Amino acid sequence: MRDETKCLHSGYTPKNSEPRVVPIVQSTTYVYDSTEEVASVFDEPTKSLIYSRFANPTVMAVEEKIAELEGGVGAMCTTSGQAATLLSILNICNAGDSFISLTEIYGGTVNLFSYTLKKLGIECIYVDKYASEEEINKAFKKNTKAVFGETIANPALSVLDFEKFSRIAHENGVPLIVDNTFATPVLCKPFEHGADIVIHSTTKYMDGHAVQVGGVIVDSGNFDWTNGKFPELVEPDESYHGISYVENYGKAAYIVKARMQLMRDFGCYPAAHSAFLLNLGLETLAIRMKQYCENATAVAKYFEKSDKIESVTYPGLKGDENYELAQKYLKGASGVISLNIKGGRENAIKFMDALKLASNEVHVADIRTCVLHPASETHRQLTDEQLVAAGIEGGMVRFSVGLENIDDIIEDIQQALNAI
Ligand SMILES: *Cc1c(COP(=O)(O)O)cnc(C)c1O
């Protein structure tokens, strides 16, 4: 199946007389005929359902759909993108370990990596996207367990150099974890370009309608966990009566471990109803993504011509710093544009407050056009130094183009620019 078809049909195939639409299984628990059967379910927890803290049929249908869209061997949904990022790291890093991350990433991820993981004894070593391979190799320590980056960075909109970073990760014996939120599997399939684990904030394009927060981790099944660096995936898990994830689950070792250890213990699993809503968003993802890209290209070109704008960042624009990488890895540059408005913070805020159709809100990648001022909102907690590293300036506006008629979007922009 192609993406448009997978969006509609993957993950749930009703049999004779069963519901056409994936049912909402609103139950915390599952019934068995005997104690012995319940006991056997604990021996093979991926075979049957036990408890909705870590598995539920509605959520699993969505997990399978996303795994198929990404081309992975398995997926696990989480209650937020933040939870997906956290678990993707905790699944392979313990206190005393480190991992490498590109500097241009989402502000919430910077907080998680720089402060909260540090408190747990896990060090994040930041590297610049333009750092030489030699420099990056030097940043690796014995305890370094992963490399992390974003396909299209939020909000810097730089495109990940998959070839470079997957090669560096693999030469150092660690997986490349990629946050594919802005691209979605419709615009980029990171596993085809060397990524090993993908995460998403499904809150954005996947849901698309701003109705529920969620996340997902997808496992490519391609990484060799037996290279000596990841004993927890190979050696018996004492907390699961001596199971070896690699031995028992083969290619799905990472994602099964994430569910059986981390989801069991942390319980940040979405409710069936949330997964049902996410599925509705996913059904139209492929066709929506095409239209976001088309609208955003028109808006980016319009901004480019305005004398009120210092610069426009959109990887789909010819001449953009990331245009070549976008051509190489993306089928489209998504609906998100970054602007730098002349006159800095003051004029950026004037422009945003004058918009009528586009809403001023803490969101991005929605079906409706929306704007955000990263320096004073999402990235407020960052120091000036961190802001520069994340590619953010005072005049920066993150403009998320929605699916309204393109002429209405542009007329709104026109009148707001006139207000500056
Ligand atoms: C929003 C976002 C996150 C965090 O996701 P939540 O669902 O808000 O927790 C992570 N990464 C990127 C790129 C995002 O845009």
Side-chain angles (χ1 to χ4, degrees):
M1 290 191 286
R2 279 75 169 179
D3 283 348
E4 293 78 0
T5 317
K6 283 182 187 171
C7 281
L8 291 164
H9 293 280
S10 289
Y12 176 68
T13 312
K15 296 185 202 74
N16 189 39
S17 86
E18 284 180 356
R20 172 61 274 185
V21 176
V22 63
I24 302 173
V25 181
Q26 194 70 43
S27 181
T28 59
T29 191
Y30 308 87
V31 182
Y32 290 89
D33 286 340
S34 69
T35 315
E36 197 190 333
E37 262 191 83
V38 178
S40 78
V41 171
F42 275 88
D43 288 336
E44 286 275 7
T46 56
K47 291 263 155 68
S48 311
L49 292 153
I50 305 177
Y51 190 52
S52 295
R53 194 204 301 136
F54 44 80
N56 166 280
T58 315
V59 186
M60 287 163 87
V62 174
E63 290 170 342
E64 202 179 314
K65 179 175 285 187
I66 295 172
E68 283 187 27
L69 280 165
E70 286 287 7
V73 295
M76 181 179 78
C77 283
T78 56
T79 44
S80 68
Q82 286 297 99
T85 311
L86 171 67
L87 298 196
S88 76
I89 297 291
L90 289 187
N91 207 29
I92 45 176
C93 289
N94 290 329
D97 285 339
S98 67
F99 65 100
I100 286 181
S101 172
L102 277 98
T103 53
E104 288 188 352
I105 51 171
Y106 172 65
T109 309
V110 175
N111 285 333
L112 170 64
F113 287 178
S114 304
Y115 302 105
T116 302
L117 284 183
K118 192 174 171 191
K119 286 186 213 164
L120 300 179
I122 297 168
E123 181 195 9
C124 177
I125 304 162
Y126 288 103
V127 298
D128 187 80
K129 63 183 169 184
Y130 292 132
S132 69
E133 295 207 29
E134 199 188 351
E135 263 176 90
I136 302 169
N137 281 328
K138 266 196 212 143
F140 274 85
K141 299 180 180 174
K142 252 200 159 131
N143 66 5
T144 300
K145 297 291 172 69
V147 174
F148 185 95
E150 294 180 4
T151 302
I152 304 176
N154 174 10
L157 303 186
S158 48
V159 177
L160 184 67
D161 187 339
F162 280 95
E163 200 179 311
K164 173 178 168 183
F165 286 95
S166 67
R167 183 173 56 240
I168 293 171
H170 296 157
E171 278 172 6
N172 287 281
V174 304
L176 174 63
I177 305 177
V178 172
D179 181 336
N180 197 31
T181 298
F182 274 13
T184 81
V186 175
L187 301 182
C188 179
K189 297 197 195 300
F191 297 154
E192 291 175 2
H193 308 297
D196 302 286
I197 306 297
V198 156
I199 61 148
H200 287 275
S201 165
T202 61
T203 318
K204 314 295 165 56
Y205 285 123
M206 282 191 168
D207 166 81
H209 298 73
V211 293
Q212 33 86 42
V213 171
V216 69
I217 307 175
V218 193
D219 184 354
S220 68
N222 293 334
F223 192 79
D224 176 15
W225 303 106
T226 63
N227 67 4
K229 277 183 179 279
F230 304 94
E232 285 199 359
L233 279 117
V234 183
E235 285 161 17
D237 177 2
E238 279 172 34
S239 81
Y240 233 114
H241 45 73
I243 229 164
S244 155
Y245 294 101
V246 165
E247 229 169 78
N248 284 269
Y249 300 102
K251 279 183 167 297
Y254 174 95
I255 201 71
V256 172
K257 177 178 179 286
R259 190 184 300 273
M260 285 168 62
Q261 276 183 352
L262 299 179
M263 196 55 85
R264 175 198 63 188
D265 294 353
F266 293 148
C268 47
Y269 200 63
H273 190 255
S274 295
F276 177 83
L277 293 173
L278 172 57
N279 188 52
L280 290 182
L282 287 169
E283 289 185 332
T284 58
L285 182 69
I287 54 161
R288 279 190 290 114
M289 290 316 293
K290 283 180 205 146
Q291 192 63 40
Y292 289 120
C293 294
E294 195 182 311
N295 283 5
T297 303
V299 169
K301 283 184 178 159
Y302 181 83
F303 277 130
E304 224 180 9
K305 287 197 211 107
S306 166
D307 58 4
K308 304 264 171 81
I309 305 290
E310 182 76 45
S311 60
V312 182
T313 305
Y314 184 64
L317 275 186
K318 250 193 199 128
D320 187 272
E321 192 186 335
N322 288 279
Y323 181 73
E324 274 74 34
L325 284 171
Q327 291 296 108
K328 186 169 175 187
Y329 296 116
L330 309 178
K331 278 195 197 156
S334 90
V336 190
I337 297 171
S338 247
L339 304 174
N340 204 354
I341 301 206
K342 281 184 188 162
R345 186 181 283 254
E346 193 188 329
N347 279 352
I349 288 170
K350 259 189 204 153
F351 166 72
M352 288 178 53
D353 288 347
L355 288 164
K356 291 185 176 127
L357 180 67
S359 46
N360 197 330
E361 64 193 31
V362 181
H363 197 34
V364 64
D366 185 20
I367 201 157
R368 288 152 289 247
T369 298
C370 57
V371 286
L372 182 143
H373 189 238
S376 56
E377 296 168 6
T378 44
H379 291 66
R380 195 180 180 79
Q381 278 84 7
L382 269 56
T383 62
D384 286 350
E385 215 173 31
Q386 285 175 321
L387 282 176
V388 172
I392 293 158
E393 292 177 62
M396 188 197 236
V397 172
R398 194 181 63 191
F399 199 99
S400 174
V401 183
L403 299 188
E404 297 92 346
N405 183 286
I406 187 63
D407 295 337
D408 291 327
I409 300 172
I410 287 183
E411 279 169 25
D412 187 36
I413 292 169
Q414 200 167 21
Q415 64 81 25
L417 285 174
N418 288 341
I420 297 176

